[in-house]
Amino acid sequence: EGSWGSNLGRPVGLVGTPWQVAENVMRFEEVGVNVLPLQCSPQDEEMERSAEQVMPLVSGAPAAVAGMN
């Protein structure tokens, strides 16, 4: 099993279910972060999983957040 990334050894805390990771990504966005570099391992599999399972939740944040409750 892979892990969600970090930035130069500084963990960003993107760990958990797709909903939890999406919520944390949205928190970064709320405070003005518009670029979030990620490093993950194994890279190809984790980037694909992120694109399929997390980013749709972030991209459709209002509808996705409603489904979180």
Side-chain angles (χ1 to χ4, degrees), residues 8-50:
L8 297 174
R10 294 182 296 270
V12 295
L14 298 179
V15 196
T17 66
W19 285 111
Q20 292 167 326
V21 173
E23 184 177 43
N24 286 328
V25 169
M26 288 185 279
R27 286 187 181 139
F28 279 103
E29 186 177 52
E30 288 171 4
V31 297
V33 174
N34 59 10
V35 175
L36 190 60
L38 300 176
Q39 179 181 356
C40 47
S41 179
Q43 184 174 2
D44 291 341
E45 292 89 348
E46 292 301 313
M47 294 303 287
E48 184 174 324
R49 184 167 71 133
S50 175

